[in-house]
Amino acid sequence: MVAALLALAVAGCSEEDRRAWVSILPGGGEEDAGDTPGVEGFGISADSTTVLLDGDTLFTIDRLPRSIVGPLAGAALSPDSSRVAFRTAGPESKAGVWTRARQIASQVAGSSGGVRVDLFQWSPDGRFLAWQGRTSDGLTRVGVYDAGIGRELRHPVSGWHARHGRSIWIQSWVDAGRLRVLVGSGSEVEGGLAHVWDGRSGGFLYEEHLEPLAEAAPAGSLLVPGGVFSLDLLDDPVPETVALYRAAGTGAPAALLLRDRGGQRRAVPTEPLAPLSALGVTQWKEVERGATLHQIVDLTGRPILLLELPIPTPSGRSLGFFQVNPDGRIELLRVDAPEGERPAVFFEGRAVEGVVELGVIDLDGDGSREIVSAVGMADASGEARWQAVVYRYSAGRLTLAPELEAAAVAAIGQLTTE
C-alpha cells in the first residue's frame, strides 16, 4: 500500500512542485565561495590588543565584553567590511563579532562550553559567520552565527551529533546562506559525509539527497520552512532524510522519509503524521501550519523525534514523540496511562494549574532516559512547588513509572535552584 501511494505521489509531482521544493531545500547553488579574501592593511597589532584597518584602530580589547578575556589571536573582516569576527588566545579562547556601525562587540555563543575556536568563515554576503573549533577531547564543532539578528543558530541535528561524539567540519560556503559541512566519527575528517546547513531556512541536509528528495515531493505539497533534516534514524550506514510538509488538499501535517541503501533510494510518505483526535481539532482547516522539529532525544539508543505539532495553543505548545519504523513510516508513540491508551502528545507552557514543563532525563541511572511532565505552582510564600508524572519507554510505548516521581521532583528542584 505504501509503495503504491509513493508511486502515485512521484508520478503526480509536476515540475513546478519539484522546483518549489528545490527552491527552499538547503543545498545546490554556485561553487564554493572559499575563505574570506585578505584585505590589505587589516590585521591585529603587534601587542595583540588592537584590531587595525589601514593603520586606524577599529577596536581594542578593553572595549570587549567582560565575558571575552585575553589577547587577540585572530580576526576576519566581513566581505562588506561592516563587521569583524575575532577570537582570543589561551585555554579559555572565546570568539565574538564587532559591529563597526554600532561600535559594540558581542560574544559568539558557540565559542563557550569547552570549545576552542580556531577558524572563521564569513558567508559571501557577510550576514553569517561560520566558526569551527575543538573540544578538549579532540572533537570538532561547527556553529553558525547570524550577525543580522545577533544570535547563534542552533540545529537539533548538530546538537545530536555533538552529544554522540561525532565531529563536524567546515568545508565551504555554497552561497550566501548555505554552509557545506562534513559530518563524521571521531576526530579525523577523512570519511565525513557532506551536509548543507542552510542558515536562512534552517535545514540540515545530507547533500546527496537534495535532488532525490525534490523528485519525490508529493504533488501540491507545501514544505515546512526548516523542515528538512538528515540523520541516521534506522541504524544503517547512510543517514535518512526527513522532509516535513503540509499535505495537498487537506493541509494535514505530513512527512516524507528518504531511505538510501546501497544506492537504492526509496521515499515513504506519512500522511497525516497524527490523527485529528491527537491534535485536538475536528477538521484539518483548523491547522494553519505543519509540524516542526523541536529536538532529537535518545530513549532507547535510537533517535526519537520530538516534533512541535500545529495545535492551537496560545499559552504554550504541544510536543509529540515519534519513531521511525523499519518500513520508513514516522509513527507517533503511544502512552499506556490509567485512563487508557493515548497518543504521546504533551503540553508545555502555561495552564490553569500552573506552568507545565517537559523534560527527558535518566532518573534511575540505568542508561535509559525517562520523560517527565512536571507542573509547577507558586505557594503562599511565592516559592515554586512541583509535581511530576514520569513515563518510561518500552517496546515502542510509554508507560507510567510512578516510582520515579520523587526523583523527578528532586531533579527539578536542583535545576531551578542552580
Side-chain angles (χ1 to χ4, degrees), residues 188-219:
E188 299 300 325
V189 68
E190 288 81 4
L193 298 179
H195 290 63
V196 177
W197 187 347
D198 193 322
R200 294 167 300 193
S201 74
F204 195 102
L205 172 68
Y206 178 44
E207 195 167 30
E208 289 190 12
H209 284 178
L210 171 63
E211 285 295 332
L213 188 65
E215 290 170 0

Side-chain angles (χ1 to χ4, degrees), residues 275-408:
L276 280 167
S277 58
L279 300 182
V281 297
T282 58
Q283 47 190 335
W284 289 120
K285 69 178 183 180
E286 298 178 53
V287 177
E288 297 180 351
R289 58 180 178 82
T292 56
L293 178 63
H294 178 70
Q295 192 178 347
I296 301 165
V297 299
D298 187 352
L299 301 178
T300 64
R302 273 180 49 189
I304 298 292
L305 304 178
L306 185 55
L307 304 182
E308 183 175 344
L309 298 172
I311 302 175
T313 52
S315 59
R317 57 190 173 194
S318 292
L319 303 170
F321 289 84
F322 292 80
Q323 65 182 359
V324 177
N325 288 339
D327 65 3
R329 286 183 57 82
I330 299 175
E331 179 183 55
L332 183 61
L333 299 185
R334 308 295 295 180
V335 176
D336 289 330
E339 65 273 16
E341 182 186 84
R342 65 173 180 84
V345 177
F346 295 85
F347 175 80
E348 185 177 65
R350 291 196 172 275
V352 174
E353 60 269 26
V355 177
V356 183
E357 298 286 348
L358 186 67
V360 181
I361 185 174
D362 182 4
L363 292 169
D364 53 8
D366 65 352
S368 297
R369 303 170 81 192
E370 289 78 39
I371 296 170
V372 178
S373 179
V375 179
M377 297 182 63
D379 61 16
S381 66
E383 290 190 23
R385 292 289 181 262
W386 291 90
Q387 295 179 327
V389 180
V390 182
Y391 302 88
R392 178 184 286 116
Y393 179 93
S394 176
R397 306 176 75 82
L398 302 180
T399 59
L400 284 169
E403 71 278 9
L404 296 177
E405 291 177 1

